[in-house]
Amino acid sequence: MTRENKDKVESCACNIIREEVVTQAKEYMPQEEILVDLAEFFKIFGDSTRIKIVSALFTSEMCVCDIAALLEMNQSAISHQLRILKQARLVKYRREGKVVYYSLDDEHVQQIIECGLAHIKHK
Amino acid sequence: MTRENKDKVESCACNIIREEVVTQAKEYMPQEEILVDLAEFFKIFGDSTRIKIVSALFTSEMCVCDIAALLEMNQSAISHQLRILKQARLVKYRREGKVVYYSLDDEHVQQIIECGLAHIKHK
DNA sequence: ACAACATATGAGCAACTGTTCATATAATGT
DNA sequence: ACATTATATGAACAGTTGCTCATATGTTGT
């Protein structure tokens, strides 16, 4: 028995098997907050409605009604999702009278989508 | 009034404002199934525990216990998440006696994480 | 001021998700 | 065979999510 129980982390019932690997990983990992933000960011893309909206906006800016028609969903659902995309700063909007046009607001979005597509098509 | 009601899509109460934009987007968008798969793929990264696991595995392969200790979570939670990552083919494992070592199983993972990090740090 | 229309938003609900707990499975050493 | 240890897994539960419905807000034309 090479390790005492006092060394194990409270919330895990197991003993650490290779401590140097754990401490090394702890050192090199981005800090907690960044990883939480990162998950929060990917969560935005983790819904097919939002992916479709973003995907549609690659072609052109569009108003809420047009997106709703395109995706065959009701206006309210689209509006709710656009709010989430707006809060995440992935889309921006401009008002023209009664109509609100949405468009992409991030140079990384296309890159990330394509990155994801590369994975999908590969496996 | 330029458009008849019969042209509007059933599930949207609004009229289509710019039909050519809608049909063009419909044409250029990846097909439904691919976008659904893509959302499914990003959903995997949309959880901080899974992001942390993946991030930890960048440094080295690790066993379940070590990951649990590193993240200060219990073994069961990690095991459940590893199953999801395994099913998504993002991690692979090898058994060595009682211990199961997990490691990354996709060349795109690092690229996607870094893509996300670029966005996080920029805004 | 009012009707018409595009969009936004709160409440409610059904479905989904992530964790915990208890327990099962698998491998090892005695 | 049995105890020990590492991992996996099913059930249960709380929290979250995405949609719908009803309604509010904002803009335009009359």
Side-chain angles (χ1 to χ4, degrees), chain A residues 77-109:
Chain A
I78 301 299
S79 199
H80 278 297
Q81 297 302 346
L82 281 169
R83 186 165 50 79
I84 292 171
L85 290 169
K86 206 194 308 172
Q87 281 167 356
R89 307 241 202 145
L90 296 177
V91 304
K92 60 180 188 283
Y93 65 97
R94 70 183 177 85
R95 180 149 219 146
E96 199 171 279
K98 277 177 292 191
V99 183
V100 178
Y101 290 99
Y102 282 86
S103 57
L104 297 180
D105 187 30
D106 191 287
E107 75 264 26
H108 301 112
V109 174

Side-chain angles (χ1 to χ4, degrees), chain A residues 9 11-19 21-26 28-30 32 34-43 45-49 51-53 55-56 59-75 88-90 94 99 101 105-109 111-113 115-123, chain B residues 9 11-19 21-26 28-30 32 34-43 45-49 51-53 55-56 59-75 88-90 94 99 101 105-109 111-113 115-123:
Chain A
V9 171
S11 48
C12 173
C14 315
N15 295 306
I16 294 177
I17 293 186
R18 295 194 296 165
E19 186 161 23
V21 168
V22 174
T23 51
Q24 198 190 0
K26 205 163 222 156
Y28 285 113
M29 279 172 70
E32 159 93 14
I34 290 188
L35 293 174
V36 169
D37 288 350
L38 195 54
E40 216 62 38
F41 175 64
F42 282 122
K43 205 172 285 179
F45 293 98
D47 173 77
S48 60
T49 300
I51 284 273
K52 286 175 191 170
I53 293 174
S55 174
T59 304
S60 162
E61 66 169 11
M62 296 179 91
C63 70
V64 180
C65 268
D66 285 355
I67 298 172
L70 173 62
L71 304 190
E72 296 178 42
M73 292 178 67
N74 82 41
Q75 172 269 321
R89 307 241 202 145
L90 296 177
R94 70 183 177 85
V99 183
Y101 290 99
D105 187 30
D106 191 287
E107 75 264 26
H108 301 112
V109 174
Q111 202 183 345
I112 287 172
I113 296 278
C115 230
L117 281 173
H119 173 88
I120 298 294
K121 288 172 181 167
H122 230 249
K123 291 256 172 170
Chain B
V9 171
S11 47
C12 173
C14 314
N15 295 306
I16 293 178
I17 294 187
R18 295 193 296 164
E19 186 161 21
V21 168
V22 174
T23 49
Q24 199 190 1
K26 206 164 221 154
Y28 286 112
M29 277 171 70
E32 159 93 13
I34 289 186
L35 293 174
V36 170
D37 287 350
L38 195 54
E40 216 62 37
F41 175 64
F42 282 123
K43 203 171 286 178
F45 294 97
D47 173 77
S48 60
T49 301
I51 284 273
K52 286 175 192 172
I53 293 174
S55 173
T59 305
S60 162
E61 66 167 11
M62 294 178 90
C63 70
V64 180
C65 267
D66 284 355
I67 298 172
L70 174 62
L71 304 190
E72 296 179 39
M73 292 178 65
N74 80 42
Q75 172 269 321
R89 306 240 203 148
L90 296 177
R94 68 181 179 86
V99 182
Y101 289 98
D105 187 29
D106 191 288
E107 75 263 28
H108 301 112
V109 174
Q111 202 182 346
I112 287 172
I113 295 278
C115 230
L117 281 173
H119 173 88
I120 298 294
K121 288 173 180 166
H122 229 251
K123 292 257 168 169

